[in-house]
Amino acid sequence: MNQPASAKALLPLLLFLSLFLGVGVYFQVTGVDYAFYQLNSPVAILPAIILAVLLSKQAFEERINTFVAGVGERNIVTMCMIYLLAGAFSTVAAATGGVDAMVALGLNVIPPQFLLPGLFIIAAVVSTAMGTSMGTLAALAPVALGLGQAADIDLALLAGVLVSGSMFGDNLSFISDTTIAATRTQGCAMSDKFKANLKIALPAAAITLIWLFTYDTGAVPPKIPEANLWLALPYFFIIVLAVLGLNVFAVLTLGIILAAAFGMVTVDYQWVAFSKDIYEGFTSMQEIFLLSLLIGGLSALIRQQGGLQFLADAVGTVTKRLFKHKQQRAAFGVAGLTALTNFAVANNTVTILLSGEVSKRLAEEGDLAPRQSASLLDIFACVVQGALPYGAQALLMGASFGLSPLEVSLHTGYCFILGGVSLAMIIWRKPLESRASNTATA
């Protein structure tokens, strides 16, 4: 049985954030690369779990049962299984040349004077297909750096454009871990969240493209990597099937099989390599897999002790003072809670996992449709993540381009525009729907 609202129950969460953030700040000050990723999050959360167990007033056996029940919660396990399949698809498609094919396909149709908006679109498409902003940046950075140097483009601007495009796809992709986490925690279908998201992301992307079209990048012809363009088809295949509403497990499984089949026909992809790449894809999701399970257990303990109720009450009190309309209160509550959490943890998926349950409660109290709360969760997690100078995306591009991560984050125009458009639409109540209008289920 859950206890009354209690601020004390949030101490384990604060300990986790303090460890994760404090160690990152220390390594950042001492000049270590990827400072905020020196302490792996599944390790940083272990002391918090121990503290949560010690703070519980249940019998010891019941405390452990509460934790294990949280680890095995249906949505948590579902997310973890999807992570494994998404990792396998990304790895197999990359190994067979699918990433190069997507890059080459985009560069074949970009006029040189439209290099910046073109790279934004390529990054957006690749990230939507791969479901990962980091994978997209790792794939595109070498090509983009060469193009930027040849065309004498400000590298900080170019890096910001790539991060912007990758966050567009990370926010919308059906196989992105943020989409998976947002839809499972809010209880809505991926296609419903996608449609709600698109109403906000497309205007923001259009404004970003107009802004990028104002830059003159000259007439330097881009150097297109060699690739078999047919290998891009598996990416489009999973997007189409997902939009049509096919179960995500079926979509990813068929995507893996199709990517391997194309590779076997075109580049002599071997069965042994196929099996190894599937496992490599599984292992690439190890950290988020473990963290999802552990956060599920920690959240169960915090919830049982009244921590999440306290947080929901606190956010609800603040938003009630600021806004009269209940859906606006819910929307701003979800957005604010998500943004603040992401500032602390510098990881958009972790943010959604931590704030998902409280956001769902705020949405229920404010009569906000699950598709709307899922959309806002994902949007504001990606907005803050893309603009953080200590986020993984800025750190990766800074290292790849020889720039300060702060230079990169200051040029992620789409992230700032997306945040502005989202807030404007909430104020005008344009994207808001009641829960009664949401008939889809996850």
Side-chain angles (χ1 to χ4, degrees):
M1 184 176 179
N2 291 347
Q3 298 174 14
S6 170
K8 184 180 179 181
L10 293 173
L11 289 177
L13 178 60
L14 294 177
L15 176 60
F16 168 53
L17 299 182
S18 298
L19 283 173
F20 195 61
L21 189 62
V23 172
V25 170
Y26 170 77
F27 282 115
Q28 183 76 19
V29 170
T30 56
V32 176
D33 291 337
Y34 299 97
F36 284 83
Y37 298 89
Q38 295 300 309
L39 175 62
N40 291 332
S41 51
V43 176
I45 201 173
L46 292 178
I49 293 172
I50 294 173
L51 178 59
V53 171
L54 293 176
L55 289 175
S56 177
K57 296 179 180 179
Q58 294 177 299
F60 184 77
E61 194 69 29
E62 287 301 314
R63 303 177 197 185
I64 302 302
N65 289 339
T66 298
F67 173 77
V68 173
V71 170
E73 201 274 328
R74 178 177 177 273
N75 285 331
I76 296 293
V77 174
T78 299
M79 278 192 291
C80 290
M81 294 304 298
I82 295 174
Y83 291 152
L84 294 180
L85 290 175
F89 171 76
S90 295
T91 303
V92 171
T96 55
V99 172
D100 288 340
M102 287 294 293
V103 173
L105 183 63
L107 292 178
N108 268 307
V109 297
I110 299 179
Q113 63 270 31
F114 298 146
L115 192 57
L116 287 176
L119 285 174
F120 173 82
I121 293 173
I122 290 176
V125 171
V126 173
S127 185
T128 301
M130 293 183 70
T132 164
S133 57
M134 291 297 288
T136 298
L137 295 175
L140 296 181
V143 177
L145 178 60
L147 293 174
Q149 292 172 332
D152 196 25
I153 299 174
D154 180 3
L155 293 184
L157 173 61
L158 185 60
V161 168
L162 286 182
V163 173
S164 294
S166 71
M167 296 312 294
F168 174 92
D170 198 334
N171 177 217
L172 285 172
S173 176
F174 282 88
I175 60 173
S176 167
D177 48 7
T178 60
T179 293
I180 297 165
T183 54
R184 302 310 301 186
T185 59
Q186 301 307 294
C188 73
M190 288 190 179
S191 57
D192 287 337
K193 180 261 185 188
F194 177 81
K195 293 171 186 175
N197 227 154
L198 210 59
K199 295 177 182 178
I200 301 173
L202 281 184
I207 295 171
T208 302
L209 287 172
I210 293 172
W211 164 57
L212 294 176
F213 275 121
T214 63
Y215 288 91
D216 181 13
T217 55
V220 177
K223 183 179 180 181
I224 302 173
E226 295 183 3
N228 185 334
L229 299 185
W230 287 104
L231 292 171
L233 283 179
Y235 287 106
F236 293 103
F237 174 78
I238 67 164
I239 292 174
V240 171
L241 287 182
V243 171
L244 290 176
L246 189 64
N247 180 277
V248 64
F249 288 103
V251 169
L252 290 172
T253 301
L254 290 172
I256 293 168
I257 294 172
L258 188 61
F262 270 70
M264 291 173 185
V265 171
T266 58
V267 295
D268 194 28
Y269 189 53
Q270 300 295 319
W271 283 102
V272 173
F274 179 39
S275 65
K276 290 182 178 179
D277 288 334
I278 289 177
Y279 186 71
E280 182 181 338
F282 288 170
T283 58
S284 71
M285 293 292 179
Q286 175 179 301
E287 181 170 351
I288 191 62
F289 183 95
L290 293 174
L291 184 61
S292 294
L293 294 176
L294 295 175
I295 281 184
L298 178 61
S299 295
L301 288 168
I302 292 174
R303 179 176 62 250
Q304 188 276 327
Q305 296 170 41
L308 295 181
Q309 183 61 53
F310 173 83
L311 192 55
D313 291 347
V315 173
T317 299
V318 173
T319 54
K320 284 177 182 177
R321 292 177 180 176
L322 296 176
F323 305 102
K324 294 181 179 180
H325 192 276
K326 63 180 181 180
Q327 288 184 323
Q328 280 185 315
R329 291 199 299 265
F332 272 99
V334 172
L337 178 65
T338 304
L340 290 174
T341 305
N342 209 125
F343 272 117
V345 302
N347 185 300
N348 46 352
T349 305
V350 175
T351 293
I352 293 171
L353 290 171
L354 287 173
S355 57
E357 185 167 342
V358 176
S359 295
K360 184 177 182 179
R361 185 170 301 170
L362 290 172
E364 289 173 347
E365 294 174 355
D367 192 29
L368 190 66
R371 73 189 77 182
Q372 295 295 324
S373 56
S375 174
L376 291 170
L377 257 178
D378 204 343
I379 284 174
F380 281 91
C382 286
V383 163
V384 175
Q385 182 66 28
L388 279 181
Y390 52 88
Q393 292 75 11
L395 293 171
L396 174 62
M397 294 308 296
S400 299
F401 281 31
L403 302 169
S404 160
L406 181 60
E407 290 182 273
V408 177
S409 65
L410 290 175
H411 287 85
T412 55
Y414 170 74
C415 296
F416 296 105
I417 293 171
L418 178 62
V421 170
S422 301
L423 291 175
M425 286 189 169
I426 293 173
I427 293 171
W428 295 334
R429 289 156 53 182
K430 293 293 184 182
L432 305 182
E433 301 172 56
S434 67
R435 299 184 74 82
S437 67
N438 187 78
T439 58
T441 58

